[in-house]
Amino acid sequence: MTPGEARDPSLKNKRSLPEIHSVLRATATAAAGGTLVVWWPAFTFGAYNAIFFDNVLALWAVASAVLLSGLVLHRRVAVPWRSWIALLLPSFWIVLGMTAPRSKGFHYLHYFEVAITILSAPFLTWLLSKILLSDYDELPAVERFGAVGITVVIGIIAFLLGKFNYAFLTCADFDVSGNNTPPGCAQGPPFRLR
């Protein structure tokens, strides 16, 4: 035992843990961040055929925070114009929602909402990873696109879980969680009580 290990017992325990490779750490962090954005909107789209407004507003908040950070630092940091446009899309959806007529079956707004939420999540994954993870640019392209791909795959799986929620959830599960019951949910007690 070295003198450092005698003073700090956590050093001994640290050595027994395997080191996590920086490529795995960066890719997993990027993928996890993206899936936190996409899974619930994709699930609700599958279960209810709708994306809840709070999901779109959460996406708006993240995109606006990154956009405002870019504006504050615009003299020191160059942000590509395509990124500005992508970050403005959720705000554009809100403006459209305020100005769109509320009658006569004006349904395009719903599809725009779905597209913004589902399609911009992978882009936001990439952009936020690029901004927040200092070693993200050092990753090989395969790993960078892998994180975005993982976000897309989780989004698709979450959609399918929402669509086929009756296979593993009941209407009571939705009630207990404070959500409305989606059409076609299975009758029965909450899953946790079975």
Side-chain angles (χ1 to χ4, degrees):
M1 181 178 288
T2 66
E5 288 175 340
R7 285 187 299 247
D8 188 359
S10 66
L11 289 177
K12 183 179 179 186
N13 292 338
K14 261 188 176 175
R15 288 197 179 138
S16 64
L17 296 175
E19 181 63 31
I20 297 172
H21 195 278
S22 62
V23 172
L24 172 61
R25 187 177 310 120
T27 305
T29 301
T35 58
L36 289 175
V37 172
V38 79
W39 86 267
W40 183 243
F43 180 86
T44 60
F45 187 52
Y48 299 97
N49 197 27
I51 293 179
F52 300 155
F53 72 90
D54 55 342
N55 300 140
V56 179
L57 289 177
L59 185 66
W60 168 83
V62 171
S64 296
V66 174
L67 179 73
L68 291 174
S69 298
L71 288 173
V72 167
L73 300 172
H74 77 282
R75 293 178 195 255
R76 293 183 7 204
V77 179
V79 177
W81 64 270
R82 289 180 302 252
S83 297
W84 290 111
I85 291 170
L87 293 170
L88 281 169
L89 279 176
S91 294
F92 182 62
W93 170 80
I94 290 173
V95 170
L96 255 160
M98 291 177 183
T99 59
R102 304 240 181 237
S103 61
K104 299 181 183 171
F106 203 72
H107 298 291
Y108 82 88
L109 193 58
H110 169 70
Y111 299 112
F112 186 61
E113 172 186 59
V114 170
I116 282 177
T117 307
I118 301 297
L119 299 177
S120 62
F123 178 78
L124 272 177
T125 299
W126 171 78
L127 188 59
L128 290 175
S129 298
K130 189 170 177 58
I131 292 169
L132 299 175
L133 298 173
S134 59
D135 53 350
Y136 188 73
D137 280 334
E138 296 169 14
L139 287 175
V142 172
E143 280 81 7
R144 286 187 304 223
F145 288 116
V148 173
I150 290 167
T151 302
V152 170
V153 168
I154 294 295
I156 292 168
I157 292 170
F159 171 80
L160 293 172
L161 289 172
K163 197 66 151 167
F164 301 106
N165 66 76
Y166 56 82
F168 65 99
L169 295 172
T170 66
C171 297
D173 285 314
F174 288 94
D175 288 335
V176 166
S177 70
N179 292 295
N180 290 331
T181 55
C185 62
Q187 297 300 317
F191 180 72
R192 64 184 173 78
L193 298 178
R194 289 188 210 174

